[in-house]
Amino acid sequence: MKSEEEYVLKTVKERGVRFIQLWFTDVLGTPKGFSITPAELENALSDGMIFDGSSIDGFSRIQESDMLLMPDANTFQILPWMIENASVARVVCDVKNNDGSPFEGCPRRVLKRTLDSTKKRGYEFYVAPEIEFFYFKDDLNKPVCLDNGSYFDLTVSDLATELRKRTVVALEDMGIPVEHAQHEDAPSQHEIDLRYTDAVTMADTIMTARLIIKSLALQQGVIASFMPKPLESEQGSGMHSHFSLFKGDVNCFADENQEYGLSTLAKHFIAGVLNYSKEITAVTNQWVNSYKRLVPGYEAPVNISWARNNRSALVRIPVAKLGNSEATRFEYRAIDSACNPYLVFALILSAGLKGIDLQMELMPETSVNLYSQNNETNVYETADPLPNNLKSAIENMENSEFAHEVLGDHVFEWFLKNKKQEWERYARHVTDYEIGRYLPYL
Amino acid sequence: MDTVVTYSFDLESHLHQDSDLKTLKEVKLSTFGELIKLAENGDNLLIAIVNINDTEQNGWNICRDIYEDINLNVPVLVVVDAKTGDLKPNSKLLQNAEYFDDFISGKSTGVEVEIRINKILKKFGKQISKTIISYGPIVINTDTYQVLCDNRPLDLAYMEYELLKFLVSKPGKVYSRQSLLSRVWGYEYYGGARTVDVHVRRLRAKLGQEHENLVQTVRSVGYRFGLSKY
């Protein structure tokens, strides 16, 4: 037995763990899982657990519904916020085919495959996300803020602060260091920034963080939502993510002798990301609602552009402190909090590596503020726009050999099919907006 | 827990720095009664090291009692002090030879002490098990993988556990990220040297504010656990 498996088994025994949750993620980034008892754990660690994959979004076709969940013993962790009831632990799993071969529809597999090839080239890829979300009152029909706009209710806003505080403590108990947590611009909106880790760990961590945020809120009768744009006239919830590429101790993005402190490699990488940004938007922003966030005026990117100290660009290069070359990185600002982080990270990393391979030229920096653009600056006419709805994003992705190659046949085809269906359902839907606007007049 | 019983003999000072024997818990006892009690309490009595003073009978009584107790399967190592250690023909050492398994002179070097202890243990089918590692508020049982911090169990992920175990067993030493990576990880991982930073942060988060400074950052070198030796 591997020592990490022995570690898991002994810990379960010593700590009196009653249930072990096996976690995995479907193609749309929804957390999935089921619980097993300690008696089944040893078997699960060595041989995996069989489950019916036909009911999981983006997994098997009906005729091959039996799939295997292989726990990744390194991810074993007792869930601190559940300890009051009975000790429960989780372990993140890889999805395999019944014969034990890797399943191409497993998002974690897609990311690992990308990272494997990156590792062969000697690179390590690090990610640090800023997760934005809203706390709403327990009403699934409409979003009601806890601190409701101008009505500044001290007690309920205390609840949100208290919740955020508890969430940070629970995250830290899980070994997820939080860089900082704050109330965001919109009422009831909050942000939790995580410290960087490697991409697989971070994708696992994001799934964990979402679950902790939602669970702790629910315990207080509050709904935590990662919906990209729940309130029309407020900012949406993004997941701006910071990326860097290292070789051992050396940050490959940093070069203090060059313009902006960016290495040539960094410029190629960012050029690659910008180059493929249209083709990956269907994944970074995968819902109909995602595109209600990517509109002018709400600090969300709408154009393919980059800048240093301008938060309106798609890619921002935060100015690193002098002499701190470790912190040189870029921030991709389109991603929203409701994405599948495994697929998003795989695509961004691959896009950057393509940029390096093809020595892509970085476009000039956008220095004007794209948000406050007025009639004098026709930025929108000069800068290439991102897809502005799900349909356009799907079309961009459909023609992308790049996305196809990174995601693999299975995920690529299933994802497009699923997203087309989503768009068609939305397109047919007669909205309240139309009734209100047209019924009286037409 | 493995226990070594010494009778007024400073084992620690006779061992060299990195000796495995240092993981033995040293218990100094003044009477044999306490020694028996310790064994009955379930502690695995590993070896009795008895200091002999030729002018007193006490030490020899202890050796005989251990020898005659059929429930005790404990090797006895006798330490003779320099004056009586010259092995005269009428030495009590010779008279009491059946009550002990080996002897060393009080002036023995660390190497000699270690070799003799290890040889005796081997003959008795005993092993030094290094199951408990501790430093300050941290206690690690490497047999059960339990980690306590201020008597509160810490729930660590496997690599966090491995890193902490490594650091706690080598306090005061500075390790570079690269050397931690190769010593602690040394297998498939997706991160590089920064993975070490990530895990150190995770450990600190779990140790809590009170103890997070146990793992210290040594600027532009790496990390050190516990206090500096210097």
Side-chain angles (χ1 to χ4, degrees):
Chain A
M1 195 189 304
K2 283 195 232 155
S3 53
E4 57 263 42
E5 291 173 3
E6 195 190 319
Y7 175 79
V8 169
L9 290 172
K10 288 219 173 165
T11 305
V12 163
K13 194 163 159 247
E14 292 290 327
R15 303 282 291 116
V17 172
R18 301 280 296 278
F19 297 101
I20 301 98
Q21 299 183 347
L22 305 184
W23 288 10
F24 60 103
T25 305
D26 72 12
V27 174
L28 297 176
T30 314
K32 300 279 170 183
F34 55 88
S35 293
I36 59 172
T37 58
E40 292 195 75
L41 183 60
E42 186 168 353
N43 187 31
L45 287 170
S46 57
D47 302 334
M49 290 294 287
I50 291 175
F51 75 108
D52 181 3
S54 62
S55 52
I56 306 294
D57 272 341
F59 280 17
S60 64
R61 298 154 198 104
I62 301 297
Q63 65 269 26
E64 46 177 67
S65 58
D66 268 358
M67 316 205 67
L68 215 51
L69 269 190
M70 275 308 293
D72 178 348
N74 276 308
T75 63
F76 175 84
Q77 180 67 56
I78 289 174
L79 302 179
W81 75 93
M82 298 181 88
I83 220 143
E84 281 162 35
N85 314 324
S87 198
V88 176
R90 75 94 202 260
V91 55
V92 180
C93 299
D94 289 303
V95 185
K96 308 244 168 168
N97 295 311
N98 217 354
D99 63 3
S101 60
F103 170 54
E104 294 306 321
C106 172
R108 203 169 187 256
R109 158 83 183 155
V110 172
L111 179 56
K112 277 183 161 183
R113 195 175 53 209
T114 310
L115 288 171
D116 282 337
S117 63
T118 312
K119 200 184 157 194
K120 276 196 197 116
R121 300 173 63 164
Y123 294 122
E124 299 122 26
F125 184 56
Y126 295 99
V127 187
E130 302 171 355
I131 305 171
E132 290 175 338
F133 58 96
F134 281 86
Y135 285 132
F136 292 123
K137 287 182 181 162
D138 189 6
D139 179 352
L140 285 175
N141 294 315
K142 59 178 190 302
V144 183
C145 295
L146 289 190
D147 42 304
N148 212 348
S150 55
Y151 299 105
F152 199 82
D153 187 333
L154 195 61
T155 47
V156 282
S157 88
D158 269 358
L159 174 63
T161 310
E162 181 61 31
L163 258 179
R164 203 182 58 225
K165 217 158 61 189
R166 275 193 212 178
T167 305
V168 171
V169 170
L171 287 168
E172 299 243 316
D173 285 347
M174 287 278 287
I176 301 174
V178 174
E179 184 136 7
H180 55 253
Q182 71 203 52
H183 194 292
E184 259 301 326
D185 296 344
S188 239
Q189 192 185 27
H190 297 263
E191 174 176 320
I192 292 180
D193 299 353
L194 303 180
R195 289 276 193 173
Y196 70 83
T197 70
D198 68 89
V200 171
T201 305
M202 186 48 78
D204 291 345
T205 301
I206 289 168
M207 299 308 295
T208 308
R210 285 184 192 161
L211 215 76
I212 292 178
I213 291 166
K214 275 188 178 283
S215 305
L216 291 185
L218 215 58
Q219 283 177 6
Q220 303 297 316
V222 171
I223 289 175
S225 177
F226 300 97
M227 184 174 170
K229 183 82 173 184
L231 304 171
E232 185 183 323
S233 50
E234 300 292 346
Q235 288 185 7
S237 292
M239 192 178 80
H240 307 153
S241 298
H242 298 254
F243 300 99
S244 58
L245 202 64
F246 273 69
K247 261 188 180 166
D249 278 332
V250 180
N251 184 349
C252 302
F253 282 177
D255 184 346
E256 285 177 11
N257 299 319
Q258 286 206 54
E259 203 183 2
Y260 319 123
L262 284 181
S263 67
T264 309
L265 186 126
K267 286 171 189 159
H268 290 323
F269 194 102
I270 296 164
V273 171
L274 291 173
N275 181 67
Y276 293 110
S277 58
K278 274 186 186 178
E279 298 170 30
I280 66 175
T281 303
V283 181
T284 54
N285 307 79
Q286 61 171 338
W287 309 101
V288 164
N289 180 257
S290 297
Y291 297 85
K292 310 278 161 91
R293 170 178 163 257
L294 298 181
V295 294
Y298 293 97
E299 286 198 13
V302 287
N303 294 89
I304 300 168
S305 58
W306 75 275
R308 276 168 296 168
N309 251 339
N310 186 336
R311 288 172 190 270
S312 58
L314 174 58
V315 164
R316 189 175 74 94
I317 317 281
V319 178
K321 279 183 217 135
L322 207 64
N324 187 9
S325 62
E326 279 196 5
T328 303
R329 63 197 188 270
F330 77 91
E331 177 190 13
Y332 194 77
R333 297 175 58 85
I335 310 167
D336 62 45
S337 293
C339 70
N340 180 334
Y342 297 96
L343 301 183
V344 167
F345 298 160
L347 286 166
I348 292 201
L349 171 60
S350 303
L353 292 177
K354 276 266 189 215
I356 295 174
D357 290 342
L358 302 177
Q359 308 224 326
M360 289 183 189
E361 278 299 314
L362 184 60
M363 62 173 73
E365 180 183 5
T366 307
S367 46
V368 287
N369 186 347
L370 297 177
Y371 297 137
S372 63
Q373 64 97 31
N374 48 41
N375 295 335
E376 290 157 36
T377 51
N378 271 329
V379 181
Y380 288 116
E381 283 171 25
T382 51
D384 204 4
L386 280 175
N388 64 358
N389 60 38
L390 184 61
K391 183 169 193 279
S392 151
I394 295 167
E395 285 162 1
N396 274 288
M397 180 173 166
E398 202 165 18
N399 297 317
S400 171
E401 275 176 36
F402 163 76
H404 194 155
E405 188 192 320
V406 176
L407 299 178
D409 291 343
H410 183 106
V411 171
F412 184 74
E413 282 158 20
W414 186 89
F415 188 87
L416 282 172
K417 198 172 118 215
N418 177 276
K419 288 297 150 188
K420 280 179 186 168
Q421 285 168 356
E422 184 184 345
W423 178 259
E424 279 159 21
R425 272 198 302 275
Y426 172 68
R428 277 200 303 271
H429 177 67
V430 178
T431 61
D432 287 349
Y433 170 87
E434 290 159 280
I435 298 292
R437 197 158 169 89
Y438 302 143
L439 195 61
Y441 301 111
L442 304 178
Chain B
M1 187 192 299
D2 290 332
T3 312
V4 60
V5 174
T6 70
Y7 181 72
S8 60
F9 171 70
D10 186 6
L11 177 67
E12 191 88 356
S13 70
H14 278 77
L15 298 175
H16 69 77
Q17 199 87 96
D18 294 326
S19 171
D20 283 348
L21 295 173
K22 290 224 169 184
T23 61
L24 295 174
K25 194 180 171 201
E26 195 183 350
V27 184
K28 294 193 176 180
L29 296 169
S30 54
T31 67
F32 186 52
E34 276 181 59
L35 187 149
I36 297 288
K37 217 162 70 193
L38 209 82
E40 280 173 349
N41 280 347
D43 277 341
N44 180 13
L45 200 61
L46 206 60
I47 185 169
I49 301 173
V50 183
N51 206 42
I52 295 298
N53 182 337
D54 229 16
T55 58
E56 285 175 33
Q57 188 58 30
N58 194 19
W60 290 121
N61 290 343
I62 289 173
C63 294
R64 199 188 55 234
D65 288 352
I66 295 176
Y67 173 76
E68 286 175 352
D69 188 332
I70 51 165
N71 293 320
L72 276 179
N73 181 33
V74 176
V76 177
L77 179 67
V78 160
V79 185
V80 290
D81 75 35
K83 272 175 272 165
T84 56
D86 52 7
L87 307 179
K88 291 172 195 151
N90 63 344
S91 165
K92 284 198 175 163
L93 204 60
L94 205 58
Q95 295 167 26
N96 294 298
E98 62 179 312
Y99 302 136
F100 60 89
D101 298 283
D102 203 350
F103 72 95
I104 49 176
S105 142
K107 283 187 170 168
S108 295
T109 63
V111 176
E112 183 188 340
V113 173
E114 251 190 279
I115 291 174
R116 290 203 191 254
I117 290 177
N118 281 324
K119 288 265 182 196
I120 301 179
L121 288 177
K122 202 173 165 192
K123 213 161 39 179
F124 272 70
K126 296 189 176 208
Q127 250 188 346
I128 302 158
S129 105
K130 288 170 274 180
T131 54
I132 303 287
I133 311 172
S134 68
Y135 184 97
I138 309 232
V139 181
I140 301 176
N141 184 336
T142 57
D143 219 23
T144 61
Y145 298 103
Q146 278 274 71
V147 180
L148 296 178
C149 179
D150 275 342
N151 291 318
R152 169 179 65 95
L154 281 188
D155 293 321
L156 302 178
Y158 177 65
M159 286 317 300
E160 293 158 12
Y161 168 83
E162 286 291 317
L163 177 64
L164 185 65
K165 188 178 83 179
F166 180 85
L167 291 172
V168 172
S169 60
K170 306 199 166 50
K173 270 189 166 177
V174 181
Y175 287 95
S176 72
R177 298 190 289 191
Q178 204 57 52
S179 85
L180 284 173
L181 199 61
S182 57
R183 283 160 188 245
V184 180
W185 275 262
Y187 77 107
E188 279 285 307
Y189 55 89
Y190 287 109
R194 299 192 110 203
T195 292
V196 178
D197 302 352
V198 168
H199 281 80
V200 166
R201 280 208 205 98
R202 295 180 156 226
L203 267 184
R204 283 179 180 154
K206 287 186 180 179
L207 289 172
Q209 278 180 1
E210 205 182 329
H211 300 301
E212 63 183 12
N213 56 0
L214 276 173
V215 187
Q216 297 172 357
T217 305
V218 182
R219 251 187 105 85
S220 68
V221 183
Y223 294 103
R224 177 180 59 218
F225 185 81
L227 299 169
S228 166
K229 280 183 182 168
Y230 309 104

